[in-house]
Amino acid sequence: MCGIVGYVGVSQAAPILLEGLTRLEYRGYDSAGIAVREETAAHIEVVKAKGRLKNLMEMTDSGHAVRGCCGVGHTRWATHGEPSTNNAHPHCSQDKRVAVVHNGIIENYQEIRTSLQRKGYVFRTQTDTEAAALLLDSYYAEGAQSGLAPRERALLAIHHLMIRVRGSYALGILFGDQPGVLYAARKDSPLIVGCCAGELHGHMIASDVPAVLGFTRSVVYIGNDEIACLTKDELHIYNIDCEEIEKPVVEIQWDAAAAEKDGYEHFMMKEIHEQPRAVRDTLSPRIKEDEGRRWIDLSETGISDEELAGVSRITMVGCGSAYHVACAARVVIEQLAHVPCEVDLASEFRYRDPILEESGLVILISQSGETADSLAALRLCKARGVRTLAVVTVVGSSIAREADAVLYTWAGPEISVATTKAYSTQLAALYLVAVKLAAVRGAIDGVRQAQLIEEMLALPDKIERALSDKERVQWFANKMAACKDVFFIGRGLDYAISLEGSLKLKEISYIHSEAYAAGELKHGTISLIEDGVLVVGVATQPALFEKVVSNMTEVRSRGAYLFGLTTYGQYAIEDTVNFTVYVPRTEALFATSLAVVPLQLLAYYISCAKGLDVDKPRNLAKSVTVE
């Protein structure tokens, strides 16, 4: 969940490292550090600071005070050891013979620590990464006695470390006696190499594409159990046995502006407003038209219509917002295609020893494509011979590469920790799956399919209309910013929407928030309702509207303050609630895509009213690459 970056080339490294880290700070912001090797210096220079990256930038004059054209940098989300300067990366051997930055978790670090202490190594931090750094130093020192050249010694040391270490890691490594050489290694944590030209001639490593977008759009994806050796002129990739392998260079289609705020105060607000474009980009390429007839084409995924028609059961797996997408998609798929669906939290999936049908399909939903729990769930499914479909944003990510089929969402880079457009595009992608599945199974006829496609294509414009009501949401948010408890209630799809609305609020406003199926209120939850407690009632489903309003009446009679969210035309709700927001009418099964927008805005404006850091909420990181 941390961010790592490295550079070796003809330019000064530190400013490049710090600029790259600013684009990765969404991955962690407890502390930051850089290690830079100057060609003529006696050792690697390391500078670290607790807190936000700006502290490190002030210490180093934005990197200009640290000389050298080869270095690594790190922004930390603490797992082992409190946030502190001492625990910040990079971690070094005592004589700075080795410097390491790390994203991931070393599971057997205590075992390694004990072994190294017997050899005389002294540990100075509470981190698991220090064990990896000193283990690497130990292997590198042993290699000196073999008479191998420095590069062969380094590769052999990294090879031994990868065999010894259990856990996940993306490592950036400097060896003090190899100026101008940068090493990297990867297992289960994302890692890319950027190929820089012109004035920046050289190579970079990074945890994610945004870190390199300002410098290059030519990248190489490092695979599992692979090692990279970089100089300003050369890039060599090796497998775990130190055998050189070839990897393709991929051109990233995003430009650098895609990872900028573009005049918005926060990335989250920018990304909320990018949802119409992102949903359109996800839907439009998959909807084909010829002679007035429209149909959905998912052939790019690698799953044929015949295979879809034969699916007996669908299991959807995700974490956080991706799980909430699955909760909504289950309703859509079951109602349209009549295929039974299960939804699982990825973090629980493996541990219940799931019963999977050979003719079933498991859909893994992940924005980054590197989510540790979802990746583990995918590997379990593959080991059992069950077909898998990945719904992900990041091209070339681990889940995308390892799944049998992949359906990309075209959300573009999402920087704010709290997801918005990734959630919306995942929903859109699964609408496509649901309608296609229903069509190939004969569960809907051509007329119904055409109607559903028409409604999908109208969603981007309707999301724009939902955004046009943001000033009213802002007014209400300012009024309610001091509230302590918020409950979201709904039935069916509206319960799935409530789950996401509640998560958004607690993520960035730190207000205690819960979502409940409205019918469950009388089974205990209503005891928590007292005077002034805010209850958000979502009522977008015509068949369930009266029941949800009835539940809202129950909580109002016990003193709740009610925010009603429904579609235009359902004006009777105003007799019950204190404040109402309306979204455009659409196919009821697609209402989640519209109703989530006011809930995103509500969370955003409450966080702003409280003066909080919207894009970087406490204790959270964007990409959860550790279990």
Side-chain angles (χ1 to χ4, degrees):
M1 295 165 69
C2 305
I4 69 170
V5 65
Y7 171 77
V8 55
V10 298
S11 297
Q12 292 299 307
I16 295 171
L17 298 176
L18 291 173
E19 185 173 341
L21 289 177
T22 62
R23 299 174 186 273
L24 291 178
E25 200 174 8
Y26 61 88
R27 299 180 68 93
Y29 28 89
D30 295 331
S31 60
I34 58 173
V36 176
R37 178 72 161 85
E38 188 173 10
E39 190 84 21
T40 58
H43 57 77
I44 299 167
E45 183 174 359
V46 177
V47 187
K48 304 192 284 188
K50 180 183 175 182
R52 296 293 171 88
L53 185 61
K54 65 181 181 180
N55 299 335
L56 182 62
M57 298 185 79
E58 290 170 0
M59 289 176 62
T60 62
D61 185 24
S62 296
H64 299 295
V66 183
R67 304 292 297 174
C69 296
C70 180
V72 291
H74 187 273
T75 181
R76 183 173 186 241
W77 189 85
T79 56
H80 293 71
E82 65 183 7
S84 68
T85 301
N86 191 47
N87 287 331
H89 298 217
H91 291 292
C92 304
S93 57
Q94 186 172 355
D95 59 1
K96 294 187 178 176
R97 181 165 51 193
V98 176
V100 173
V101 292
H102 169 219
N103 171 34
I105 283 184
I106 306 301
E107 294 175 356
N108 59 335
Y109 80 101
Q110 288 284 18
E111 168 195 313
I112 295 170
R113 189 182 183 110
T114 301
S115 172
L116 291 171
Q117 284 172 333
R118 293 196 193 103
K119 294 182 177 181
Y121 280 91
V122 176
F123 285 77
R124 295 175 171 79
T125 78
Q126 302 166 302
T127 69
D128 57 331
T129 303
E130 189 181 15
L134 298 188
L135 180 64
L136 193 59
D137 179 81
S138 173
Y139 286 137
Y140 194 62
E142 291 173 7
Q145 303 170 11
S146 66
L148 293 173
R151 184 173 299 186
E152 284 69 28
R153 284 171 53 202
L155 290 173
L156 191 60
I158 295 169
H159 161 82
H160 287 311
L161 176 138
M162 295 174 76
I163 292 173
R164 177 78 178 276
V165 163
R166 295 195 304 273
S168 62
Y169 50 80
L171 302 173
I173 306 162
L174 298 180
F175 291 96
D177 63 351
Q178 295 190 56
V181 186
L182 169 62
Y183 293 88
R186 183 206 168 183
K187 181 179 184 295
D188 293 341
S189 289
L191 186 66
I192 63 168
V193 170
C195 305
C196 304
E199 294 180 358
L200 295 174
H201 176 78
H203 291 95
M204 297 183 70
I205 62 168
S207 299
D208 204 352
V209 169
V212 305
L213 275 181
F215 311 107
T216 181
R217 282 192 272 173
S218 299
V219 303
V220 175
Y221 290 96
I222 305 302
N224 242 12
D225 294 325
E226 291 180 357
I227 306 166
C229 174
L230 301 79
T231 69
K232 65 182 176 64
D233 298 316
E234 299 178 1
L235 167 62
H236 301 278
I237 311 293
Y238 304 89
N239 62 22
I240 195 171
D241 296 319
C242 302
E243 298 166 336
E244 190 160 1
I245 57 178
E246 295 293 326
K247 303 283 287 190
V249 177
V250 177
E251 290 296 316
I252 300 300
Q253 298 304 309
W254 312 334
D255 58 22
E260 301 291 347
K261 291 180 183 175
D262 197 25
Y264 289 92
E265 185 176 356
H266 300 99
F267 278 111
M268 183 176 178
M269 182 54 89
K270 174 178 180 269
E271 289 157 7
I272 287 172
H273 279 82
E274 287 176 338
Q275 288 177 116
R277 187 275 307 161
V279 169
R280 186 177 289 110
D281 288 351
T282 297
L283 291 172
S284 297
R286 283 83 183 227
I287 295 175
K288 309 298 183 181
E289 184 172 1
D290 183 41
E291 296 182 354
R293 186 178 72 88
R294 288 175 175 157
W295 70 95
I296 294 168
D297 181 3
L298 298 183
S299 58
E300 67 182 86
T301 66
I303 298 181
S304 68
D305 290 358
E306 291 74 21
E307 287 170 319
L308 279 176
V311 169
S312 62
R313 177 178 296 272
I314 291 176
T315 302
M316 288 181 283
V317 180
C319 300
S321 293
Y323 171 77
H324 300 158
V325 168
C327 290
R330 172 176 56 190
V331 178
V332 180
I333 291 172
E334 288 191 336
Q335 289 199 21
L336 286 179
H338 309 308
V339 177
C341 291
E342 296 179 35
V343 174
D344 264 286
L345 287 164
S347 57
E348 293 291 322
F349 182 72
R350 288 177 293 158
Y351 303 115
R352 70 175 181 86
D353 192 18
I355 298 172
L356 301 171
E357 297 179 9
E358 189 175 330
S359 56
L361 176 68
V362 177
I363 301 177
L364 292 303
I365 309 167
S366 170
Q367 182 267 327
S368 67
E370 303 290 350
T371 310
D373 290 312
S374 300
L375 188 55
L378 166 64
R379 289 170 179 166
L380 172 65
C381 295
K382 289 183 69 67
R384 296 190 179 181
V386 179
R387 192 164 181 80
T388 55
L389 168 65
V391 176
V392 299
T393 299
V394 180
V395 176
S397 56
S398 295
I399 291 175
R401 289 198 310 272
E402 296 187 29
D404 298 307
V406 59
L407 178 58
Y408 285 113
T409 68
W410 300 117
E414 189 176 65
I415 306 302
S416 178
V417 166
T419 185
T420 51
K421 62 176 180 173
Y423 171 91
S424 292
T425 54
Q426 288 165 356
L427 265 179
L430 287 168
Y431 294 159
L432 291 168
V433 172
V435 176
K436 181 67 172 180
L437 194 64
V440 298
R441 292 172 62 87
I444 58 173
D445 60 20
V447 174
R448 177 62 168 151
Q449 179 181 215
Q451 177 193 25
L452 291 167
I453 290 174
E454 186 73 24
E455 289 289 342
M456 278 192 284
L457 290 173
L459 284 175
D461 289 339
K462 291 181 179 181
I463 294 172
E464 290 274 15
R465 287 177 58 196
L467 283 166
S468 68
D469 210 18
K470 63 184 178 183
E471 286 78 13
R472 291 188 69 249
V473 178
Q474 183 178 18
W475 174 86
F476 183 80
N478 290 338
K479 181 178 178 179
M480 302 305 298
C483 64
K484 302 296 183 185
D485 300 282
V486 181
F487 297 97
F488 292 72
I489 61 173
R491 290 173 180 258
L493 269 172
D494 290 333
Y495 172 52
I497 301 168
S498 297
L499 288 168
E500 179 62 10
S502 175
L503 177 62
K504 283 287 125 344
L505 186 66
K506 69 182 73 171
E507 277 182 318
I508 63 172
S509 75
Y510 316 147
I511 293 172
H512 169 252
S513 170
E514 302 293 341
Y516 290 98
E520 289 296 295
L521 284 171
K522 293 185 286 293
H523 298 278
T525 310
I526 204 164
S527 66
L528 299 173
I529 303 300
E530 55 188 33
D531 286 347
V533 169
L534 176 59
V535 175
V536 178
V538 185
T540 69
Q541 302 299 296
L544 297 169
F545 178 81
E546 291 183 355
K547 290 184 180 294
V548 174
V549 170
S550 176
N551 296 136
M552 294 166 77
T553 302
E554 292 170 350
V555 295
R556 183 171 185 175
S557 69
R558 288 159 176 81
Y561 193 84
L562 291 179
F563 175 120
L565 175 57
T566 188
T567 57
Y568 284 110
Q570 298 283 23
Y571 302 119
I573 197 172
E574 294 186 7
D575 296 332
T576 302
V577 305
N578 302 97
F579 180 80
T580 312
V581 170
Y582 297 95
V583 295
R585 286 180 176 272
T586 186
E587 160 65 44
L589 291 172
F590 302 154
T592 309
S593 293
L594 304 179
V596 75
V597 174
L599 301 184
Q600 294 169 345
L601 292 169
L602 178 67
Y604 173 82
Y605 284 125
I606 287 179
S607 181
C608 289
K610 295 179 71 173
L612 301 174
D613 191 335
V614 174
D615 289 330
K616 303 183 184 76
R618 68 189 183 198
N619 302 332
L620 298 178
K622 181 67 175 174
S623 181
V624 184
T625 55
V626 297
E627 186 177 352

